[in-house]
Amino acid sequence: MGLIYAKALIKYNIVKPSELLLVEKSKARMEELKKMQLGEVVTPENPKISESDLLLLAVKPQDFDELSTQIKQLLHPRITVLSIMAGLTINYISKQLDHKLVVRAMPNSPAGLGMGVTAITAHVNVLPEQLRKAEHLLSTTGRTVYLEDESQLDAVTALSGSGPAYFFYIVQNMIEAGKAMGLDEGVAEMLVKQTMLGSFHLINQADKSLDELIVAVASKGGTTEAAFKVFEKEEVGTNLQKAIFNAEARAKELSKS
Ligand SMILES: NC(=O)c1ccc[n+]([C@@H]2O[C@H](COP(=O)([O-])OP(=O)(O)OC[C@H]3O[C@@H](n4cnc5c(N)ncnc54)[C@H](OP(=O)(O)O)[C@@H]3O)[C@@H](O)[C@H]2O)c1
């Protein structure tokens, strides 16, 4: 994810390579990053970090405690710390770094294509211009939405953070059904992917509600209605919601405050 942001920041001229520090601990990975020429590649102890005005935290949550001890001394009081780490609250990050200006965001994996969606929330001490800067940075990977209430990030994690995997799962199962009905895998894949793409544009552009869109496809006594009879009998909709609530519960369990 850190690399996605580095690439997006350069691509959209938010910073020049001469203004970007890529912080990496592994020697082998440092060499790989240097070849990409996105910016200067440094270790977490490098004093140049102290000259930055924004620090993006993109390590795994379990690596943050180690990283915080390495960078804590390097943070000047005006640096904006922007975390995309799942589950670590603003309060926790703030305590570990002994730093107030913390912005927290939850992106999702289509960020790499510039089609992500990111929810963002901030410590009360973060100034509007610092928040705008963080939002500007995150917008290079798609859309952003600001949330007053940090606790809603657990729902965001369950909905859009994990969301791409739900769609992959639905696509996978539709392709499997196509194969089971005798279609070639390639044909089934093309049919399902194009159906998903077309359906997305209908949701976005048609002047109809989701219910109306369903009714428009499901004529009385027809094939779609036959499929929906099974969805209803097996409570597929309710179970999908239950799965998402379980993801939210897990986000709460993993949360460190
Ligand atoms: N992937 C997603 O779809 C997604 C969505 C939303 C949020 N997030 C959040 O984004 C964060 C990053 O996820 P990811 O999937 O990009 O993880 P990742 O591929 O493991 O990237 C983390 C990077 O941080 C490096 N690192 C670890 N400790 C470090 C330290 N002390 N100093 C410098 N670099 C260090 C790791 O190096 P090594 O490999 O050498 O340890 C690795 O290159 C996570 O907190 C995750 O919760 C991810």
Side-chain angles (χ1 to χ4, degrees):
M1 289 299 280
L3 190 54
I4 285 174
Y5 286 103
K7 286 181 178 167
L9 291 179
I10 299 297
K11 183 175 167 190
Y12 293 105
N13 291 317
I14 308 288
V15 290
K16 299 187 201 81
S18 59
E19 296 166 330
L20 187 62
L21 292 180
L22 290 97
V23 184
E24 174 60 58
K25 61 167 186 173
S26 132
K27 285 267 170 295
R29 189 85 185 115
M30 284 181 85
E31 291 312 313
E32 284 173 29
L33 289 174
K34 277 180 194 164
K35 286 188 197 133
M36 294 180 195
Q37 299 186 330
L38 293 165
E40 188 176 348
V41 183
V42 297
T43 60
E45 294 85 10
N46 194 303
K48 283 192 177 173
I49 295 171
S50 66
E51 293 157 27
S52 310
D53 58 356
L54 191 141
L55 173 74
L56 174 74
L57 292 174
V59 299
K60 289 261 160 65
Q62 59 271 26
D63 291 330
F64 173 63
D65 287 352
E66 183 197 330
L67 177 68
S68 63
T69 58
Q70 292 166 317
I71 57 168
K72 192 174 172 171
Q73 312 308 328
L74 297 171
L75 304 184
H76 61 76
R78 292 167 322 282
I79 191 170
T80 307
V81 172
L82 168 57
S83 165
I84 60 157
M85 299 179 295
L88 303 188
T89 63
I90 291 174
N91 184 44
Y92 185 81
I93 297 165
S94 201
K95 264 193 315 199
Q96 290 299 104
L97 294 175
D98 191 18
H99 188 78
K100 292 260 186 287
L101 303 182
V102 178
V103 180
R104 193 178 155 203
M106 175 46 60
N108 66 359
S109 62
L113 301 173
M115 284 187 250
V117 63
T118 303
I120 178 170
T121 186
H123 191 283
V124 283
N125 286 39
V126 173
L127 298 169
E129 69 252 33
Q130 290 166 320
L131 189 59
R132 266 199 301 277
K133 191 182 280 183
E135 253 182 317
H136 189 46
L137 183 162
L138 294 166
S139 302
T140 57
T141 62
R143 300 187 63 165
T144 59
V145 57
Y146 176 75
L147 298 176
E148 271 310 325
D149 179 0
E150 186 186 359
S151 70
Q152 290 189 340
L153 273 193
D154 293 325
V156 171
T157 306
L159 208 57
S160 55
S162 303
Y166 310 153
F167 286 108
F168 304 150
Y169 178 77
I170 290 166
V171 167
Q172 190 179 48
N173 277 287
M174 286 179 70
I175 292 171
E176 285 307 314
K179 279 162 58 188
M181 292 184 292
L183 296 174
D184 283 345
E185 183 166 3
V187 173
E189 201 176 309
M190 189 277 274
L191 289 171
V192 175
K193 282 187 190 168
Q194 189 62 21
T195 301
M196 188 163 191
L197 182 70
S199 307
F200 160 74
H201 286 290
L202 278 178
I203 293 170
N204 250 12
Q205 290 169 24
D207 194 15
K208 285 185 175 146
S209 68
L210 286 170
D211 271 339
E212 287 166 337
L213 284 169
I214 292 172
V215 169
V217 182
S219 47
K220 271 245 158 308
T223 55
T224 314
E225 196 184 77
F228 270 78
K229 272 189 186 154
V230 178
F231 288 161
E232 272 154 34
K233 183 166 164 280
E234 304 292 336
E235 298 185 32
V236 174
T238 310
N239 284 323
L240 181 63
Q241 290 185 37
K242 268 192 203 162
I244 296 169
F245 300 152
N246 203 35
E248 186 202 24
R250 184 67 182 141
K252 286 191 195 305
E253 267 171 27
L254 292 174
S255 175
K256 275 189 181 176
S257 53

